[in-house]
Amino acid sequence: MSRYARQVILPEVGADGQVALATAHVLVIGAGGLAASALPLLAGAGVGQITIVDGDTVELSNLHRQTMFTEGDQGRPKAEVAASLCRAINGEIAVEAVVATLTPANAPALLEGVTLVMDCADSYAVSYTLSDLCLAQNIPLITGSALALSGYAAGVCGGAPSLRAVFPEAPESGASCATAGVMGPVVALIGAMQAQMALATLMGHQPSPLGQMVQFDAKTMRSAPFRFDAAPEPDTAFGFVAPEMLRAEDTIVELRGEDEAPVAAHPDARRILPIQLKDKLPIAEGRLALCCGTGLRAWRAAEITQEIWPGEIVLVAASAS
């Protein structure tokens, strides 16, 4: 019996659908909790080529939700462990591990030749960077996020509106799994949902997962799907750039104090706290680069500074992963 017999028998898959999976190249950003569910499902379904990008190593605090890893994997690169597991699940597919953090500088090269991108990094700086690139290149992007007892999965770009069309403003909270906590089953459910949306997109299912979001609340055990096919792209969008993409003529502002960031995101940055921007920001022509750790503080500062800055404003997330 064929490895894929149980899914090929489905009228929604069939031989043509299996060929579509076998000839696809999926780029997975992040090998943590979301990917722990998504990656084995992609490998098992027969996605022909999978590239896994993650710069982190396995830690004990990951194990309650990042179920691809064991205690013996501590200290090993997540991307390599995840790739090894996918190869063990399916020896017929090609799996590549890239031990690196995705940034606006290396992202364009990673997207070359890719059929679909799966955003499992759960970092809004990464998510918006991917969304901007995928929108410009017409590449489908399946993104997801989980925090505490809730989360969502969504299909954007590739002919559908971008993530910015759904969430055009800076997130209200800068909470993360490290600060707010998260339940492992919630992460697993969102990751599995991303995998289903990715497979359905690759096989051309209708209605398409692109242009749809599904929210899940573990407190009430309810899910809420909605479509955003007609959502307009925002008029103003602050893009993310990597520190190495900054130019000598840029006005570079480090929004973190020395106690928080002894080393600024860029050597030419001047330190101005967000509350001091309107009084201390030297107005000049050219590009303004606002730097912080995750990019959230920079985004909020940009929303205020755009009233006084005459040119382009970009964001630098120095520690985004």
Side-chain angles (χ1 to χ4, degrees):
M1 180 176 290
S2 166
R3 171 194 293 269
Y4 308 112
R6 294 294 186 265
Q7 67 187 31
V8 171
I9 198 173
L10 293 168
E12 294 86 357
V13 180
D16 290 343
Q18 195 60 53
V19 170
L21 297 181
T23 55
H25 180 187
V26 174
L27 173 67
V28 180
I29 306 300
L34 296 172
S37 291
L39 278 170
L41 292 170
L42 295 182
V47 172
Q49 185 175 355
I50 302 173
T51 300
I52 306 167
V53 180
D54 195 303
D56 289 341
T57 56
V58 179
E59 298 179 4
L60 186 64
S61 62
N62 301 147
L63 301 185
H64 86 285
R65 68 192 186 282
Q66 298 181 12
T67 51
M68 287 186 293
F69 312 130
T70 68
E71 291 182 355
D73 293 321
Q74 291 180 75
R76 295 180 61 194
K78 291 181 181 179
E80 292 182 355
V81 178
S84 179
L85 174 64
C86 290
R87 296 187 195 105
I89 291 173
N90 193 341
E92 298 178 355
I93 65 174
V95 186
E96 179 186 6
V98 178
V99 182
T101 297
L102 182 126
T103 72
N106 63 17
L110 290 169
L111 265 65
E112 290 182 5
V114 165
T115 312
L116 178 145
V117 179
M118 182 173 288
D119 169 25
C120 295
D122 211 354
S123 157
Y124 57 82
V126 169
S127 297
Y128 281 90
T129 296
L130 288 173
S131 179
D132 291 344
L133 290 169
C134 287
L135 181 68
Q137 299 181 38
N138 199 34
I139 299 173
L141 171 64
I142 308 299
T143 184
S145 178
L147 186 68
L149 294 173
S150 64
Y152 70 83
V156 300
C157 304
S162 73
L163 186 63
R164 291 187 185 274
V166 186
F167 300 120
E169 299 178 351
E172 294 182 2
S173 172
S176 66
C177 292
T179 59
V182 69
M183 286 295 292
V186 174
V187 182
L189 189 149
I190 299 300
M193 201 179 302
Q194 285 184 267
Q196 178 60 35
M197 296 177 87
L199 296 175
T201 300
L202 292 172
M203 291 185 288
H205 287 181
Q206 295 297 327
S208 174
L210 301 179
Q212 182 172 26
M213 174 175 287
V214 180
Q215 298 173 316
F216 176 72
D217 183 354
K219 285 185 179 180
T220 61
M221 297 303 293
R222 293 179 178 176
S223 61
F226 68 92
R227 298 204 64 89
F228 52 88
D229 302 89
E233 297 297 331
D235 294 330
T236 301
F238 306 110
F240 286 90
V241 300
E244 60 267 33
M245 298 170 68
L246 296 175
R247 305 186 287 258
E249 61 269 24
D250 291 337
T251 298
I252 307 171
V253 175
E254 173 61 71
L255 298 169
R256 299 170 295 175
E258 291 187 3
D259 56 335
E260 181 183 354
V263 179
H266 192 276
D268 294 335
R270 63 191 79 191
R271 292 184 187 269
I272 305 176
L273 298 180
I275 60 173
Q276 301 172 323
L277 275 173
K278 285 194 173 182
D279 295 327
K280 293 190 175 183
L281 180 65
I283 305 301
E285 293 185 359
R287 193 169 67 164
L288 171 64
L290 299 171
C291 312
C292 69
T294 66
L296 178 57
R297 200 177 322 179
W299 191 344
R300 290 173 176 165
E303 290 177 338
I304 298 172
T305 309
Q306 65 177 334
E307 301 174 3
I308 59 175
W309 189 263
E312 180 185 7
I313 302 175
V314 295
L315 316 178
V316 179
S319 60
S321 60

